[in-house]
Amino acid sequence: MFAARAAEAPPTPARLEPVVTGLESPWAMAFLPTGRLLISERPGRLHVAAPGGKPGPALQGVPAVDAGGQGGLLDLVLDREFAQNRRLFFCFSEAAADGKTNGTALASARLSEDETRLEQVRVIFRQQPKLASRLHFGCRIVESRQGLLYLTLGERFHAMDQAQRLDNHLGKILRLRKDGSVPPDNPFVGRADALPEIWSYGHRNPQGATLDDADRLWVHEHGPQGGDELNLIQPGRNYGWPVITYGENYGGGKIGEGITEKPGMEQPLLHWTPSIAPSGLALLRSARYGADWQGSFFIGSLKFRHLERVKLDPRTLKVQARGPALPDVGRLRDVREGPDGLLYLLTENPGQVLRLRPAAEPESR
């Protein structure tokens, strides 16, 4: 386990190119087979955009989103078989019927052939219990090679102690089939005191998730004041929040007993103290930026407005390099590797998609 800012990585010469501009509070992006991008905006809109232009009209068919605070229309991913079935998955903050509480929901839909609307929209999961909160929705989605969905869920801030209980969805990572049903090999299947969809627990507000080449799930999450974490997620494990943490309460003061370790609770592979406020997580597989960057994790920093790089030894998982790879980009909400092997960055304000091009390559036309 390593503290923040150790073994800082030198920046690699690269430059940013605008790809899509004119977005409002964008949260996530996906690459369509046509070469266009599908982008979510937190107020509750989905857009298709061609590189080099503005977003198209908002797609029809998006369900009602309870936007406000940290809530809204959040992550989206394309089905691995999108080219055949045109299916996608997205998560959002959904109001309860009482109009006073809300929670994270996961939906599936089909993108129409003309890319103007969502069809066959179906909510396949709803977080329980719903709470009166505008905070900590989590909401990153990853599809495994086996066609199963991982969904990260925040503990909604005021209910942080519930992250240690297995009878609710607060502060959990779930593993689901694409219809919302539970895989029979989930770790808590058959336990009367646990919800069977839970994959891991003891999380605070995970807003970055990706898979490595071995199909292992990596997740980072926001700590409080300090203690942002990067974790390799193992089924059934307890990641400690709020019993153990490297952070403290906002304004100072210990959380709980103020401890950082406890038997039966996982240690992060690394933590950022002070916090960088991480959002978005990509594992770079291409060699477009050279061998030094290949195999690194790239993470957006909302707080420091930079692109963070972390490289681990693949055998020992010890940190080889870490630190800002690209400073002063803006509040980075999402980071993805594109089909061209380049990194794409989504910034909140101004709302835009940026492409990171190696300085040695000519500008695209």
Side-chain angles (χ1 to χ4, degrees), residues 32 34 36-38 46-49 56-61 82 86 88 110-119:
L32 295 168
T34 58
R36 285 148 55 101
L37 291 101
L38 183 63
L46 279 174
H47 297 275
V48 172
L59 302 189
Q60 300 299 305
F82 180 87
R86 303 192 63 77
L88 59 103
R110 183 183 183 278
L111 180 63
S112 65
E113 297 287 346
D114 62 3
E115 298 182 347
T116 64
R117 64 192 182 280
L118 297 183
E119 304 170 334

Side-chain angles (χ1 to χ4, degrees), residues 18-22 49-56:
V19 176
V20 179
T21 59
K54 302 269 186 190

Side-chain angles (χ1 to χ4, degrees), residues 125 127-129 149-151 153 162-177 180-191 193-203 217 233-239:
F125 166 79
Q127 184 182 34
Q128 296 297 331
L149 300 177
Y150 295 104
L151 174 66
L153 297 170
Q162 296 300 309
Q164 287 296 311
R165 296 178 57 93
L166 293 170
D167 60 354
N168 65 74
H169 298 126
L170 306 177
K172 310 300 191 298
I173 295 174
L174 308 187
R175 182 173 177 252
L176 303 164
R177 291 185 174 125
S181 62
V182 176
D185 59 343
N186 271 12
F188 298 109
V189 167
R191 278 186 51 170
D193 63 337
L195 298 177
E197 53 268 28
I198 295 173
W199 187 249
S200 64
Y201 65 109
H203 302 285
L217 179 66
I233 304 299
Q234 303 287 344
R237 300 287 180 87
N238 180 355
Y239 288 82

Side-chain angles (χ1 to χ4, degrees), residues 106-358:
L106 173 65
S108 66
R110 183 183 183 278
L111 180 63
S112 65
E113 297 287 346
D114 62 3
E115 298 182 347
T116 64
R117 64 192 182 280
L118 297 183
E119 304 170 334
Q120 303 172 20
V121 178
R122 178 176 170 236
V123 175
I124 61 174
F125 166 79
R126 289 181 167 97
Q127 184 182 34
Q128 296 297 331
K130 293 188 185 296
L131 299 174
S133 173
R134 296 292 186 182
L135 304 171
H136 294 190
F137 292 92
C139 207
R140 287 292 178 188
I141 314 163
V142 175
E143 181 185 348
S144 74
R145 291 178 187 166
Q146 291 75 34
L148 300 174
L149 300 177
Y150 295 104
L151 174 66
T152 73
L153 297 170
E155 32 72 296
R156 311 303 311 284
F157 186 72
H158 302 294
M160 64 181 183
D161 291 336
Q162 296 300 309
Q164 287 296 311
R165 296 178 57 93
L166 293 170
D167 60 354
N168 65 74
H169 298 126
L170 306 177
K172 310 300 191 298
I173 295 174
L174 308 187
R175 182 173 177 252
L176 303 164
R177 291 185 174 125
K178 292 179 183 179
D179 62 359
S181 62
V182 176
D185 59 343
N186 271 12
F188 298 109
V189 167
R191 278 186 51 170
D193 63 337
L195 298 177
E197 53 268 28
I198 295 173
W199 187 249
S200 64
Y201 65 109
H203 302 285
R204 186 173 182 267
N205 189 23
Q207 291 189 354
T210 194
L211 297 171
D212 64 17
D213 291 336
D215 214 35
R216 297 181 300 180
L217 179 66
W218 295 79
V219 170
H220 67 59
E221 60 184 272
H222 290 263
Q225 187 169 276
D228 299 341
E229 297 182 0
L230 177 67
N231 288 297
L232 174 59
I233 304 299
Q234 303 287 344
R237 300 287 180 87
N238 180 355
Y239 288 82
W241 177 257
V243 178
I244 60 172
T245 178
Y246 287 86
E248 61 181 9
N249 282 310
Y250 295 111
K254 66 183 181 180
I255 293 171
E257 298 178 18
I259 59 176
T260 58
E261 299 183 34
K262 188 170 184 177
M265 296 183 179
E266 302 299 310
Q267 282 291 298
L269 287 177
L270 63 86
H271 70 88
W272 290 271
T273 303
S275 295
I276 65 168
S279 186
L281 176 63
L283 176 59
L284 182 68
R285 292 172 167 85
S286 86
R288 295 287 297 272
Y289 305 96
D292 192 38
W293 274 23
Q294 190 174 24
S296 297
F297 291 102
F298 288 87
I299 301 150
S301 169
L302 295 166
K303 180 178 179 180
F304 293 116
R305 303 167 65 87
H306 70 244
L307 179 66
E308 181 89 356
R309 181 171 83 92
V310 173
K311 192 164 189 177
L312 305 177
D313 183 289
R315 298 182 305 271
T316 65
L317 301 185
K318 299 293 186 182
V319 175
Q320 294 180 321
R322 65 184 298 178
L326 192 71
D328 302 323
V329 183
R331 278 178 57 87
L332 275 168
R333 179 54 74 180
D334 198 12
V335 183
R336 310 263 173 148
E337 181 181 348
D340 56 5
L342 296 178
L343 289 170
Y344 287 73
L345 315 177
L346 191 65
T347 64
E348 284 188 337
N349 186 19
Q352 58 186 336
V353 178
L354 301 169
R355 177 169 48 216
L356 184 59
R357 184 172 293 280

